[in-house]
């Protein structure tokens, strides 16, 4: 077992690794600028009913963006909360359960029929389940919520021309990932997307694996939607570090008092942890950037498994094939870039 493998393979090592990371000296640090506003920009955040997503909604609304909170719960009260805290009325809620393919379709249809154009998409929703659960379409819930929903949502948004690409505008697609994406040794392509049973002991390991899938997709997406070297979209991924959120809500009841204590003392508040999301949504320093990654506010290389072009090609084709089994095909094709052929 490598040192890295030990870091995020279970809930305890993951928690303490996260805390240790906070105390390490960060290199290549970036900072927010008060002058970067989002007046006239439209943002959609998935999983904006809690934790990091809720805080992102407040801070981006304060920056002047029209914020769409795509949530499965908290409608309408979390929207009212964001309006109140931000002082902005440009805050709307849209219902979505990202574990359900039909619900994602309805969200995209609503955006299309309302002629909403997105400048910034924040793929934030995630779940850490106590055990495996089957979705309505028979997929494994954490795989669907933490990875496949992002692939499907973005491909449908691209098909429906929901991103604002008018007048050379470069939309930003931001993935909330995790340093745990470095943990898995590799990919299991032969069992990609197959439903399998697991219990809490395996959840944290799989969480890291699904973050790896998502981060690999982020890299391939950037290559495919910017195929000629002319920047059309920016794709960003980040790890916010340990956040005092509701992410451990399904932890066994016996550990909850301890977790509450550790989260309260050592984990960062959503208001602080959201900084890399706000940076990628607002900063002009990344205007010309096709792909970038932050850990906390520190620019870092993603794991080489995630940036690998062969893995990128595989995640794309395997995800398409899996969705094809669900009867889903896409109108717009994004062939692999010439450099990858
Ligand atoms: N907390 C950490 O220490 C940490 C560390 C690294 C990365 N992250 C990442 O940060 C992001 C935000 O997590 P958080 O810490 O803020 O956790 P959180 O408070 O649990 O928020 C998760 C959000 O995802 C939503 N969600 C879950 N399943 C959904 C579904 N099927 N459909 C629609 N929305 C769904 C939740 O909605 P409901 O409220 O309706 O359940 C909630 O709004 C995640 O991507 C997570 O992996 C967190």
């Amino acid at each position: 077992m490598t040192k890295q493998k030990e870091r995020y393979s279970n809930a305890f090592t993951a928690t303490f690794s996260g805390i240790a990371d906070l105390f390490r000296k960060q290199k290549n640090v970036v900072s927010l600028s008060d002058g970067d506003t989002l007046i006239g920009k439209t943002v959609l955040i998935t999983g904006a009913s809690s934790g990091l997503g809720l805080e992102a909604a407040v801070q981006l609304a304060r920056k002047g963006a029209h914020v769409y909170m795509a949530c499965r719960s908290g409608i309408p009260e979390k929207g009212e909360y964001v309006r109140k805290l931000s002082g902005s009325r440009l805050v709307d809620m849209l219902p979505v359960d990202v574990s359900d393919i039909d619900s994602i379709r309805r969200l995209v249809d609503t955006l299309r029929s309302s002629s909403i154009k997105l400048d910034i998409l924040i793929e934030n929703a995630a779940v850490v389940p106590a055990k495996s659960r089957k979705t309505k379409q028979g997929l494994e819930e954490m795989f669907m919520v933490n990875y496949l929903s992002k692939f499907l949502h973005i491909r449908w948004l691209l098909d429906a021309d929901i991103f604002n690409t008018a007048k050379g505008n470069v939309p930003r697609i931001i993935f909330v990932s995790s340093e745990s994406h470095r943990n898995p040794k590799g990919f299991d392509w032969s069992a990609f997307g197959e439903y399998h049973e697991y219990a809490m002991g395996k959840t944290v390991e799989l969480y890291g694996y699904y973050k790896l899938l998502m981060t690999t997709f982020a890299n391939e997406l950037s290559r495919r939607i910017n195929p000629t070297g002319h920047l059309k979209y920016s794709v960003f991924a980040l790890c916010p570090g340990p956040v005092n959120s509701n992410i451990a809500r399904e932890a066994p009841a016996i550990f909850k008092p301890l977790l509450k204590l550790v989260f309260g003392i050592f984990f960062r508040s959503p208001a602080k942890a959201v900084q890399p999301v706000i940076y990628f949504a607002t900063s002009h320093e990344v205007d010309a950037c096709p792909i970038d990654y932050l850990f906390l506010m520190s620019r870092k290389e993603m794991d080489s498994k995630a940036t690998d072009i062969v893995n990128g090609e595989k995640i794309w084709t395997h995800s398409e094939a899996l969705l094809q089994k669900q009867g889903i095909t896409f109108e717009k094709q994004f062939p692999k870039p010439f450099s990858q052929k």
Side-chain angles (χ1 to χ4, degrees):
M1 196 183 258
T2 63
K3 222 176 182 181
Q4 199 174 345
K5 173 82 182 156
E6 288 159 13
R7 294 194 72 205
Y8 293 95
S9 56
N10 66 60
F12 287 103
T13 54
T15 303
F16 291 111
S17 294
I19 294 168
D21 284 339
L22 285 181
F23 292 100
R24 285 202 180 91
K25 191 163 164 42
Q26 305 297 323
K27 293 182 204 150
N28 304 318
V29 175
V30 299
S31 52
L32 295 175
S33 162
D34 287 344
D36 289 332
T37 70
L38 290 176
I39 294 162
K41 299 283 183 189
T42 300
V43 183
L44 185 137
I45 310 167
T46 66
S49 56
S50 168
L52 206 74
L54 180 62
E55 185 60 36
V58 172
Q59 295 199 20
L60 297 176
R62 275 188 195 137
K63 292 253 175 210
H66 190 153
V67 175
Y68 288 93
M69 302 165 66
C71 300
R72 73 169 166 185
S73 69
I75 301 173
E77 66 273 13
K78 293 295 167 84
E80 281 156 16
Y81 170 87
V82 172
R83 275 189 281 275
K84 195 171 166 199
L85 256 73
S86 64
S88 169
R89 293 168 66 185
L90 295 176
V91 177
D92 288 292
M93 295 197 83
L94 297 169
V96 69
D97 177 346
V98 298
S99 72
D100 177 6
I101 289 175
D102 300 333
S103 181
I104 298 174
R105 184 67 252 172
R106 284 193 293 274
L107 172 65
V108 175
D109 288 344
T110 303
L111 293 167
R112 179 166 35 195
S113 62
S114 314
S115 303
I116 293 166
K117 294 283 182 189
L118 299 180
D119 297 289
I120 300 162
L121 169 69
I122 302 173
E123 288 288 356
N124 167 75
V127 65
V128 180
K131 60 182 171 71
S132 51
R133 288 191 287 260
K134 256 189 197 165
T135 67
K136 194 171 138 193
Q137 285 87 17
L139 295 160
E140 195 270 291
E141 183 185 325
M142 183 163 53
F143 170 78
M144 180 64 191
V145 172
N146 294 16
Y147 167 61
L148 194 67
S149 65
K150 323 286 182 198
F151 182 92
L152 179 61
H153 186 210
I154 290 169
R155 290 297 301 274
W156 271 343
L157 290 174
L158 289 164
D159 271 359
D161 290 321
I162 304 290
F163 289 108
N164 176 12
T165 52
K167 295 191 203 116
N169 189 53
V170 178
R172 296 181 176 193
I173 301 173
I174 301 170
F175 293 91
V176 181
S177 183
S178 160
E179 279 290 277
S180 66
H181 84 273
R182 303 182 193 279
N183 204 39
K185 279 191 183 139
F187 298 83
D188 183 358
W189 298 117
S190 63
F192 184 81
E194 272 176 21
Y195 181 79
H196 55 106
E197 303 275 340
Y198 61 87
M200 193 46 141
K202 187 93 176 144
T203 297
V204 173
E205 192 182 322
L206 279 171
Y207 174 85
Y209 182 54
Y210 298 149
K211 289 294 188 189
L212 173 63
L213 296 184
M214 189 183 76
T215 313
T216 306
F217 166 56
N219 281 274
E220 185 67 3
L221 179 69
S222 172
R223 288 188 286 265
R224 291 198 184 224
I225 56 184
N226 296 308
T228 57
H230 169 69
L231 186 69
K232 286 178 78 181
Y233 300 83
S234 288
V235 180
F236 303 127
L238 63 101
C239 172
V243 192
N244 187 7
S245 67
N246 291 314
I247 196 83
R249 65 183 87 176
E250 294 193 41
I254 189 168
F255 295 128
K256 280 200 170 154
L258 176 66
L259 283 174
K260 199 171 173 220
L261 193 73
V262 172
F263 273 45
I265 296 173
F266 294 108
F267 281 32
R268 300 197 313 160
S269 68
K272 186 143 197 227
V274 79
Q275 285 181 345
V277 178
I278 307 303
Y279 178 84
F280 277 143
T282 59
S283 179
H284 287 296
E285 290 171 4
V286 287
D287 273 349
C289 227
I291 183 93
D292 201 357
Y293 178 79
L294 287 178
F295 165 53
L296 306 171
M297 287 294 272
S298 177
R299 184 165 278 120
K300 242 179 138 173
E301 295 291 321
M302 288 174 253
D303 188 88
S304 59
K305 293 185 288 299
T307 55
D308 181 89
I309 55 173
V310 176
N311 291 334
E313 162 72 4
K314 284 193 173 154
I315 192 101
W316 193 272
T317 51
H318 279 72
S319 304
E320 279 192 339
L322 190 62
L323 288 166
Q324 203 163 13
K325 284 191 201 153
Q326 297 280 347
I328 296 166
T329 53
F330 299 102
E331 284 164 32
K332 291 200 177 110
Q333 295 304 312
F334 299 89
K336 63 180 175 181
F338 188 68
S339 57
Q340 275 174 244
K341 286 181 185 157

